[in-house]
Amino acid sequence: MMKLLFSALSLVAVLGSATAQTARVPAQWTVWSGLNAETVYLPGISLGISRTVGQLGALDLSVRGVLDVVLIPASESPVPLPAPLLGADLLFSGPVGGVTVYGGSGIGTFLGDAFWLSGTAGLRDSFGEGQWGYFGEVKARYSWAQGGNLAPGVRLGVTYRF
């Protein structure tokens, strides 16, 4: 009887420590900032903010708002014109090895003139144990403007999680 009680207590201790090790508390907010390249050749900057809204199994679920400002060459001006692109993404993320992998879908607009659906996939990690980190992602936007087009792009930058 004593052996059975000891075995049960050992099992509870092992399961409790395993649960404590795998349970993670995600940061609630993340600020994203970096460089953007739209359709591979239109350079720009990107600024976003996301909030973790829940978990789906082992994956964190976040909503992210993004403002990309890309430089569009103007045919009648020697200076490229800045074009603001506003979007929102629904991102699923989880740890793979030593980094966090994320991906999801999104919607957006070019100031109401054009609308798009998008897909994003990327990875992010922290600089050491602090709140600062980095990210890299690829994306594709399908817009209905001018008969529809698919625009690939990338974002590289830093994050601050709090």
Side-chain angles (χ1 to χ4, degrees):
M1 179 70 168
M2 193 63 147
K3 214 176 204 179
L4 182 60
L5 180 60
F6 181 72
S7 296
L9 289 174
S10 297
L11 180 61
V12 167
V14 167
L15 289 176
S17 66
T19 303
Q21 290 172 356
T22 59
R24 55 190 165 81
V25 178
Q28 293 296 311
W29 292 92
T30 302
V31 175
W32 309 69
S33 177
L35 300 176
N36 180 36
E38 194 68 32
T39 59
V40 184
Y41 63 89
L42 297 176
I45 58 172
S46 183
L47 181 62
I49 188 163
S50 65
R51 173 149 171 81
T52 303
V53 293
Q55 288 189 305
L56 184 61
L59 299 176
D60 293 333
L61 178 62
S62 299
V63 175
R64 176 175 72 174
V66 179
L67 169 64
D68 290 330
V69 178
V70 296
L71 296 175
I72 296 179
S75 58
E76 300 168 11
S77 170
V79 178
L81 301 173
L85 307 171
L86 297 170
D89 299 318
L90 181 62
L91 300 174
F92 296 90
S93 63
V96 174
V99 298
T100 299
V101 176
Y102 61 92
S105 59
I107 58 171
T109 182
F110 173 64
L111 296 180
D113 289 336
F115 296 92
W116 68 77
L117 293 177
S118 63
T120 301
L123 60 89
R124 69 172 191 251
D125 198 8
S126 297
F127 294 120
E129 297 296 320
Q131 295 171 293
W132 288 96
Y134 62 90
F135 73 97
E137 67 185 43
V138 294
K139 58 190 168 74
R141 295 179 174 152
Y142 181 80
S143 174
W144 287 271
Q146 300 172 356
N149 64 12
L150 183 64
V154 297
R155 285 189 189 111
L156 302 169
V158 294
T159 60
Y160 184 78
R161 298 174 63 79
F162 56 99

